[in-house]
Amino acid sequence: MPESKPILPKTVGPWTRPDSPRIINAKNIFDYMDGAGELYLGYRFDQLESWEYESRTQKTILVELYFMKTADDAFGLLSLDWGGEPVDLVQSQQKNEAPEKYTWARALYGEGLLRLWSDNIYARIMAYQETPESKEAVLAIGRSIIKGRSNPHGPDLIENLPSALQPDWVLLKERASYFRTHLVLNSLYYLGQENMLDLDLNSEGVTSTYERKDAAGKKRIQALIVRYSDYKHAHQALAHFHRVYLPEYPAAQKSGSSRKIVKVFSVEDGWLGYKLQGNSIAFIFECPDQATAKAIIAQLW
């Protein structure tokens, strides 16, 4: 269950926060920000607390606490951009205690902005002017946000992404993101204006880039995995995708009692493959040849 709200320090260095924050919800989020509000709503946003730390000698530090439905939703917001330097905000309680290792960064800092996720909270702490003093204040506020809160691992869809695909494709972790909705997916990897995968807030997915280096330079392929509430929804979504994206090919049929479907196709930007299995569909895009598409799709999920 989501944990209690963090307690922000009243003062940090020369900065002081007000007694109460500005509260933003789904009804007024577009009054607070422009189009970016759609991204937060696409991750089951509950509410936002906005705090401004003011100082007489330095510029404002803005703190935004986004309260999401689950930890996966909060992680998804961080995964939209892996830019910045990873920061370890967790302090070991004992000198000999090794910090727990995580597959993905939990906090990222760069140019005065700290972004982090902690259980069901995604947070942005931004100094309007970066100085050594403001950086320490931003990190101190970040530590107060995560204090006493659990630190679950990321969604299993992204945790289980293969770090490499045979024969020699390597995951670019900075190009891997977790999403739920069509709008968010299109901001990461554009498929088309229509919601051809029937995505909604009850679905979840991950998109990632794999790279291969050879004598001709670098080549990249795009992986996409979507999980639905049940097999029926997944099968209907695949049929919808096929009608819109592959209208020149006949619809694929179920393979035996397993109801598994695996197909590859030649399209304008290379070879595409998909695999329906259970309530999940895996896709691979921009493969250089048919053999690669078949080999890669067999390894996904």
Side-chain angles (χ1 to χ4, degrees), residues 25-137:
N25 55 36
K27 293 181 179 180
N28 63 356
I29 191 170
F30 294 105
D31 296 330
Y32 181 77
M33 64 181 72
D34 291 328
E38 289 285 0
L39 295 178
Y40 296 99
L41 296 178
Y43 284 101
R44 303 193 296 186
F45 165 81
D46 183 13
Q47 72 172 29
L48 159 65
E49 291 186 358
S50 177
W51 303 80
E52 290 192 348
Y53 279 77
E54 303 286 355
S55 166
R56 292 183 179 180
T57 58
Q58 298 208 46
K59 291 188 178 180
T60 300
I61 294 176
L62 173 66
V63 180
E64 295 177 330
L65 301 179
Y66 294 84
F67 293 87
M68 313 303 291
K69 184 174 181 180
T70 67
D72 287 354
D73 297 299
F75 172 91
L77 286 170
L78 184 63
S79 78
L80 291 176
D81 179 7
W82 293 111
E85 292 296 322
V87 177
D88 183 6
L89 297 174
V90 179
Q91 302 295 315
S92 299
Q93 298 300 313
Q94 300 177 12
K95 291 183 179 180
N96 297 326
E97 181 184 351
E100 186 173 356
K101 299 297 183 183
Y102 294 96
T103 307
W104 303 88
R106 313 187 69 80
L108 297 159
Y109 179 87
E111 299 182 349
L113 173 63
L114 176 68
R115 297 178 295 114
L116 65 89
W117 73 286
S118 177
D119 193 59
N120 68 314
I121 289 178
Y122 170 70
R124 296 175 78 255
I125 305 101
M126 180 176 67
Y128 288 169
Q129 181 180 18
E130 184 182 27
T131 65
E133 194 172 13
S134 73
K135 180 177 179 179
E136 180 50 43

Side-chain angles (χ1 to χ4, degrees), residues 125-287:
I125 305 101
M126 180 176 67
Y128 288 169
Q129 181 180 18
E130 184 182 27
T131 65
E133 194 172 13
S134 73
K135 180 177 179 179
E136 180 50 43
V138 165
L139 296 177
I141 295 170
R143 287 190 286 268
S144 74
I145 292 171
I146 69 168
K147 184 177 181 180
R149 298 175 62 82
S150 64
N151 290 294
H153 289 271
D156 64 339
L157 273 183
I158 201 165
E159 291 283 2
N160 292 327
L161 273 177
S163 59
L165 297 168
Q166 296 300 321
D168 50 8
W169 297 90
V170 178
L171 174 67
L172 299 181
K173 292 188 67 176
E174 70 274 15
R175 298 286 298 273
S177 300
Y178 176 84
F179 65 91
R180 291 188 183 277
T181 65
H182 168 65
L183 183 144
V184 176
L185 171 59
N186 268 356
S187 73
L188 299 166
Y189 185 73
Y190 186 79
L191 285 182
Q193 188 172 2
E194 182 175 344
N195 183 13
M196 63 186 76
L197 290 175
D198 297 342
L199 297 170
D200 58 31
L201 291 176
N202 294 316
S203 54
E204 57 178 337
V206 60
T207 182
S208 56
T209 302
Y210 286 83
E211 184 177 82
R212 183 184 71 185
K213 299 179 182 179
D214 57 24
K218 297 179 181 179
K219 294 183 174 64
R220 291 182 175 182
I221 58 178
Q222 193 72 21
L224 171 64
I225 303 169
V226 183
R227 183 161 60 195
Y228 298 90
S229 56
D230 53 39
Y231 170 81
K232 181 179 179 181
H233 192 174
H235 186 266
Q236 290 174 342
L238 181 59
H240 187 183
F241 171 85
H242 197 108
R243 288 194 307 272
V244 176
Y245 207 89
L246 301 164
E248 67 275 27
Y249 290 102
Q253 301 298 317
K254 302 173 187 178
S255 178
S257 59
S258 67
R259 303 190 295 184
K260 182 177 178 180
I261 301 175
V262 183
K263 292 289 182 180
V264 297
F265 307 88
S266 177
V267 294
E268 184 177 350
D269 58 355
W271 282 81
L272 175 157
Y274 63 60
K275 175 171 63 177
L276 168 68
Q277 187 167 299
N279 63 339
S280 299
I281 313 172
F283 298 87
I284 193 74
F285 297 91
E286 303 178 46
C287 288

